[in-house]
Amino acid sequence: MLKVWFIRHGQSQANAGEKTSDSSGIELSPLGRKQAELVADHFRQAPDLIVSSPYMRARQTSECLTGRFPQVPVETWPVQEFTYLAHERCENTTETERVPLAHEYWERYDPHYVDGAAVESYTGFMARVEETWTRLMSEHRDKWVVVFSHAHFIKASIWYWLHPKDRLTPKGMRRYRNFLYSVPIPNGAILKASFGEEFSSGVPLIDHIPEKMRGD
């Protein structure tokens, strides 16, 4: 059986309310670094593989676990956040300031719409999710893989198995948006999934992080 633990990065500068520009370079906040340590402390044994998003905040979160188990292979996969807003529209803005832009994007319900250069469509995002599952099942069957990623990607990885027929339609996009709000994944949360004869997953776990240190 393939066992996958998806881990959301610790609190980032953006999660903490700071102004940011390039999504890929956003770093952890001081609280996020402590959360990353608590994530690593939760592990009682080494996994077979550690995978990280190329985005800085996910890589920094993974470093505590890779430091604890230096013998475990580490790979960078395209499991980064869904970046769908044009960079020039988001430069030096906070998450709160980007809310109207995000609302405008989602209200289109156009799976193929691309907001600007160097960002992806909803269809492209879902293709990355599918490619990740294909790679996991073909190359790492019967292994335990830990994936350091982002809220959107983790939720989409679960959504992938829930609505396979209309996943890439406007209707499917609307359903996915509703799903986003119904499944909170806090910073540092762990979502455990597996695939044997069929897919199964639990709920995001956050007990390893004290309530006063959970942040966003």
Side-chain angles (χ1 to χ4, degrees), residues 26 36 42 72 116 136 147 177 200 204:
I26 296 173
H42 180 71
V72 176
L136 284 167
V147 180
R177 187 187 185 192
S200 65

Side-chain angles (χ1 to χ4, degrees), residues 15-191:
N15 299 146
E18 297 182 33
K19 289 181 180 291
T20 57
S21 295
D22 178 11
S23 179
S24 66
I26 296 173
E27 298 189 13
L28 293 179
S29 69
L31 174 59
R33 294 180 184 277
K34 294 177 182 177
Q35 291 171 338
E37 294 173 358
L38 291 168
V39 167
D41 290 343
H42 180 71
F43 284 73
R44 295 294 174 263
Q45 62 186 60
D48 296 301
L49 174 67
I50 297 173
V51 170
S52 175
S53 153
Y55 282 17
M56 180 64 73
R57 53 197 182 276
R59 286 165 44 204
Q60 290 176 326
T61 306
S62 73
E63 287 171 356
C64 290
L65 186 61
T66 59
R68 183 173 178 185
F69 299 112
Q71 76 278 17
V72 176
V74 181
E75 298 180 4
T76 300
W77 291 13
V79 295
Q80 67 268 21
E81 187 59 287
F82 179 26
T83 303
Y84 54 85
L85 295 177
H87 296 310
E88 60 269 18
R89 302 175 68 196
C90 301
E91 188 171 359
N92 198 34
T93 59
T94 65
E95 282 191 339
T96 300
E97 291 169 339
R98 293 191 287 273
V99 167
L101 299 178
H103 181 75
E104 175 189 311
Y105 171 86
W106 286 101
E107 284 300 307
R108 291 174 178 270
Y109 294 111
D110 179 354
H112 304 289
Y113 174 73
V114 178
D115 194 54
V119 296
E120 63 187 337
S121 66
Y122 172 82
T123 303
F125 171 56
M126 286 295 171
R128 279 201 290 117
V129 172
E130 181 172 18
E131 290 166 2
T132 297
W133 276 117
T134 299
R135 186 173 180 179
L136 284 167
M137 292 187 292
S138 64
E139 300 178 13
H140 302 284
R141 204 80 176 210
D142 301 323
K143 300 296 184 179
W144 175 21
V145 183
V146 176
V147 180
F148 286 88
S149 187
H150 310 257
H152 253 298
F153 193 92
I154 296 171
K155 293 178 183 182
S157 295
I158 305 307
W159 173 256
Y160 174 83
W161 296 101
L162 299 179
H163 293 280
K165 293 184 179 180
D166 66 354
R167 193 185 307 129
L168 302 181
T169 65
K171 180 181 179 181
M173 188 175 180
R174 185 183 296 273
R175 284 181 173 176
Y176 172 68
R177 187 187 185 192
N178 292 334
F179 180 73
L180 284 176
Y181 295 112
S182 65
V183 183
I185 301 183
N187 292 119
I190 301 173
L191 191 149

